[in-house]
Amino acid sequence: MKPYVFITRRMPAAIVEMIERECEVSMWEEEETPVPDEILAREIKRADGIFCNVSDTITKEMIDGAERLTIIATMAVGYNNIDIEAAAARGIQIAHTPGVLTETTADLTFALLMAAARRLPEGMEAIKNDEWGAWAPFFLTGQDIHHSRLGIIGMGRIGEAVARRGKGFSMEVVYHNRSRKHEAEEAIGVRYQELDELLETSDFVCLTAPYTNETHHLMNAEAFKKMKDSAIFVNTSRGSTVDEKALFTALKNGEIRGAGLDVFEQEPISSSHPLLSLPNVTLLPHIGSASEKTRWRMAEMTANHVLQGIRGEALDHPVKE
Ligand code: DGY
């Protein structure tokens, strides 16, 4: 009997076929709706391998119910949606997709920074609403990006790639990270700062740290108060690194100038989300790694990880805590 693999979201035929060469496969056929929890639990119970993504919450209870599972491969670099301790306790391997999405996510982080700084969504709204009259000296003036100071919280692969983009824009780049990154300091020309100093002095604060117990609501009311009132906050990591209510207050009260967000505490957000009522935000629907090429590579990597796990081979990218 072939091993059984469940894919939690519709994947292109070429990806499914990669796995079907060696396994029996079934798939949640929806492209935009996540698999319901009860179906996910049922599939985890009987599958040898799971191909999942960021919107699947894989709990201890689901993992404890697994009868044959050897591999959970997620099509993402972040894996905070999977109870990795429960998986480790059962000897179930977890794989993710680091590296492949670094530059694509850094591109989007910088796009958000630029959009928020130069007020691009407001410009487009103005045209749509026929608010673009004659040229006006101070119409939609924003913040300069060049020669400003970029503070990056979380100097992993994506943080470094954002730093390189900042240097390309003649920015001074400072960073905060759990540990000093001496190589990056040398190679990219970035400077380490304590978090408070980074918040107090940066013109742009970009959060690229992974979501963990330590980074839960790292950006809270106190942190936003420390930022310059002219500063812009950008988040492309995970929504729960930010206390969204505190961010809303900081934006509304002019404690900071603007924000660009690709991630939210509860995703998806709806059109009634309070942040959407503010003019000084640029909001995106979690598309950091969403270039065609990168998403295909992530899907191929995930399919390979499933096969490696099932064959008992070493994983290319195991999650190691
Ligand atoms: C990730 O990979 O963790 C992204 O958030 C989803 O592409």
Side-chain angles (χ1 to χ4, degrees), residues 161-175:
V162 173
R164 286 197 303 275
R165 281 156 181 75
K167 294 301 270 188
F169 275 76
S170 307
M171 296 171 101
E172 184 195 351
V173 184
V174 296
Y175 77 97

Side-chain angles (χ1 to χ4, degrees), residues 54 75-79 97 101 236-238 263 286 288-290 295 298:
V54 285
M75 188 180 144
V77 64
Y79 46 83
T97 62
L101 48 71
T236 50
S237 78
R238 285 289 182 269
V263 287
H286 202 147
S289 61
R295 285 285 165 89
M298 289 165 72

Side-chain angles (χ1 to χ4, degrees), residues 79 84 93-96 157 178 315-321:
Y79 46 83
I84 54 168
Q93 297 203 82
I94 306 207
H96 66 145
R157 291 184 186 83
R178 267 190 311 190
L315 300 175
D316 286 340
H317 301 284
V319 165
K320 292 185 230 130
E321 280 291 291

